[in-house]
Amino acid sequence: ATRLGSGMGRAPGGDGSSSGATAVLRHLARKLRATGAVTVAEYMREALTNPGQGYYTRRGGVGESGDFITSPEISQVFGELIGIWYISEWIAMGKPKAFQLVELGPGRGTLADDILQVFKQLSSLLSKCDVSVHLVEVSPKLSEIQALMLTGGKVQSNPEDSSAYMEGISKTGIPIFWYRDVQDVPPGYSFYLAHEFFDALPIHKFQRTERGWREVLVDIDPEVPDQLRFVLSPSSTPATENFIQPEERRDHVEVCPEAGVIIQRLACRIEKDGGAALIADYGHDGTKTDTFRGFRDHRLHDVLKAPGTADLTADVDFSYLRKMAQGRTATLGPIKQREFLKNMGIDLRMQVLLQNSRDTATHEQLLHSYDMLMNPEKMGDCFNFFALLPHHRLEHPDKKQKPESKSPIPPVAGFGELLLK
Ligand code: SAH
């Protein structure tokens, strides 16, 4: 996840690990001494999702009192509009009899909860549709929080009849399943959602030198005990050979192969079984160079200090995601968050909420959250929306032959004009 350091939240401190060696650091130091420097990707994976001591595995600091705050945590309107996006796509695709909502990295479960509220409000529309929710979450700690938020805590672990590690029924009556990997989610018509998920996946970093591309590695400083440092690989690595394009013009490049693998999977599944994916994150379209950073207590944090106690993140390269879809699906975006939400009707929704709120405190809170989501200096410009859709959703297969014989294709909400009002 990625977030702004806006000075909200608690004072720094807590486990006092910014100076002493953390469990992740001790583990890494042993490894580095034994086998030499590791890639930034390996470092990031250890720091974030190491099964015992990783940042997400153990802490998972989403929320106002954690290390970062995300859009769904700021306003319910965010999740409501995303819920409407899925309903709008479901209608545009001819109201299939069943769909799975598959969310990658659901954090505290707030976004899924707001979406399920929308599904409940539109239950007459969805009454003949078999809806289920599938959450992909590696963190046992966060899956517990999600279970509490979505089901009130009534869940069953390791159900025998399913590939899920946990299952339950939402407060709104919809079955929910938890998995560690998207590959474990059963096939079927699916709407995928990833909000601030891709930016938490491990990246490789590369630097152009006079002798060619070198990979940035993490090593232990021989002079200072328990201190990590960046070094350059002495020669090219398998990653430099595989991930740098011959036409690359930047001097510093970050690549997230795991994001590529996941996009390929989603694209294959959407091509085969139908559905769509909506991805929202910090990001750029293949132009930025050095975006790897850490957050702790809503402040920037040295990425090499006290691994496991801070959130590490890198901007998502949407041009890479588009390439990894490899034409299996069409792609839309990236489009800025403020444009997407505007197209989805956030102004109208805000007006209704403002009219319905009596006290000034709620009024102010609504205006403040609108500003956080929409202001170009806050989250409005740096967050982007990106979608994968089946080709037929955007184009009639026989368009060239007889364009006038078919009914027009409805525009995709958010990326164009809104279908449901
Ligand atoms: N979507 C939420 C939370 C973002 S934080 C929000 O916007 O508020 C990132 C989430 O991804 C966390 O739930 C984290 O535990 C999860 N996560 C990180 N790496 C993961 C991985 N490799 N596989 C599955 N989930 C992962």
Side-chain angles (χ1 to χ4, degrees):
T2 334
R3 54 239 90 260
L4 34 154
S6 63
M8 52 178 74
R10 305 173 304 194
D15 53 17
S17 39
S18 52
S19 49
T22 61
V24 173
L25 180 56
R26 283 195 296 273
H27 163 77
L28 263 169
R30 270 197 302 277
K31 189 160 164 175
L32 294 171
R33 278 190 206 101
T35 60
V38 295
T39 62
V40 171
E42 199 167 334
Y43 173 71
M44 217 172 150
R45 188 173 299 116
E46 288 289 352
L48 293 181
T49 56
N50 173 300
Q53 297 296 330
Y55 174 77
Y56 283 120
T57 337
R58 204 166 56 88
R59 298 172 33 128
V62 201
E64 188 113 9
S65 63
D67 294 300
F68 54 88
I69 185 138
T70 59
S71 295
E73 306 281 334
I74 290 170
S75 170
Q76 72 184 63
V77 175
F78 187 81
E80 287 172 356
L81 296 176
I82 288 181
I84 290 173
W85 191 86
Y86 288 113
I87 298 291
S88 150
E89 276 309 294
W90 175 73
I91 294 172
M93 294 193 201
K95 301 188 184 171
K97 282 196 189 60
F99 71 80
Q100 314 189 120
L101 176 69
V102 182
E103 185 177 10
L104 311 181
R108 301 199 320 138
T110 316
L111 183 51
D113 197 45
D114 290 335
I115 293 173
L116 288 179
Q117 285 305 322
V118 172
F119 290 177
K120 188 181 157 199
Q121 265 150 27
L122 299 177
S123 56
S124 55
L125 197 63
L126 285 170
S127 63
K128 291 203 192 76
C129 183
D130 184 5
V131 182
S132 54
V133 173
H134 303 261
L135 304 177
V136 179
E137 177 58 75
V138 279
S139 163
K141 170 111 190 164
L142 283 171
S143 66
E144 252 173 58
I145 296 175
Q146 292 151 17
L148 205 60
M149 167 84 80
L150 297 168
T151 71
K154 280 178 252 128
V155 284
Q156 187 198 343
S157 293
N158 303 313
E160 269 171 29
D161 56 337
S162 131
S163 57
Y165 67 80
M166 189 162 78
E167 69 178 46
I169 308 270
S170 80
K171 292 175 287 183
T172 60
I174 289 177
I176 311 188
F177 303 86
W178 278 263
Y179 313 83
R180 282 183 195 89
D181 195 301
V182 69
Q183 269 182 304
D184 302 333
V185 178
Y189 193 98
S190 300
F191 289 125
Y192 298 92
L193 171 61
H195 180 256
E196 294 220 36
F197 169 75
F198 282 101
D199 71 272
L201 299 180
I203 54 152
H204 287 267
K205 278 179 83 72
F206 304 99
Q207 195 172 317
R208 192 195 293 277
T209 72
E210 278 166 7
R211 291 164 298 131
W213 284 97
R214 294 292 181 264
E215 182 159 7
V216 177
L217 304 173
V218 176
D219 196 1
I220 193 117
D221 191 328
E223 317 268 298
V224 193
D226 290 332
Q227 170 120 2
L228 300 174
R229 57 171 189 177
F230 286 120
V231 292
L232 283 185
S233 63
S235 54
S236 62
T237 62
T240 47
E241 312 276 314
N242 285 311
F243 297 129
I244 299 288
Q245 302 302 312
E247 67 274 15
E248 182 58 62
R249 311 188 74 178
R250 292 169 289 175
D251 290 335
H252 293 263
V253 174
E254 296 168 340
V255 181
C256 182
E258 215 168 294
V261 169
I262 293 175
I263 286 291
Q264 280 175 349
R265 287 202 182 121
L266 299 189
C268 282
R269 290 170 75 119
I270 291 169
E271 183 182 39
K272 192 158 161 284
D273 301 324
L278 189 62
I279 292 154
D281 229 307
Y282 254 74
H284 59 93
D285 218 358
T287 52
K288 285 204 185 170
T289 54
D290 184 12
T291 71
F292 183 38
R293 60 205 182 286
F295 282 91
R296 183 165 158 175
D297 294 311
H298 299 273
R299 293 199 185 104
L300 274 170
H301 177 94
D302 182 341
V303 287
L304 294 182
K305 281 262 154 66
T309 69
D311 185 28
L312 301 182
T313 166
D315 279 18
V316 174
D317 178 352
F318 288 103
S319 70
Y320 180 68
L321 301 192
R322 193 182 299 116
K323 210 167 95 218
M324 289 297 123
Q326 288 173 324
R328 286 198 176 92
T329 62
T331 63
L332 283 179
I335 173 175
K336 288 178 174 137
Q337 169 156 311
R338 70 184 155 90
E339 287 167 23
F340 179 87
L341 296 178
K342 203 148 217 139
N343 291 339
M344 289 303 302
I346 190 169
D347 290 338
L348 204 65
R349 181 70 185 129
M350 273 293 165
Q351 261 173 30
V352 172
L353 290 175
L354 284 171
Q355 272 157 17
N356 293 348
S357 77
R358 299 258 169 266
D359 58 306
T360 37
T362 319
H363 243 252
E364 267 166 27
Q365 159 62 23
L366 281 168
L367 292 174
H368 174 72
S369 61
Y370 179 89
D371 185 59
M372 289 281 280
L373 296 180
M374 299 293 283
N375 189 329
E377 317 246 286
K378 292 175 182 164
M379 295 166 120
D381 264 5
C382 51
F383 274 87
N384 295 276
F385 279 75
F386 180 79
L388 304 181
L389 294 152
H391 288 293
H392 62 79
R393 175 64 183 89
L394 300 180
E395 200 178 335
H396 283 306
D398 56 350
K399 190 179 154 208
K400 288 192 189 79
Q401 279 84 38
K402 349 170 218 169
E404 61 300 323
S405 66
K406 299 266 179 165
S407 55
I409 294 179
V412 177
F415 298 88
E417 118 208 14
L418 184 61
L419 187 72
L420 263 186
K421 282 254 159 81

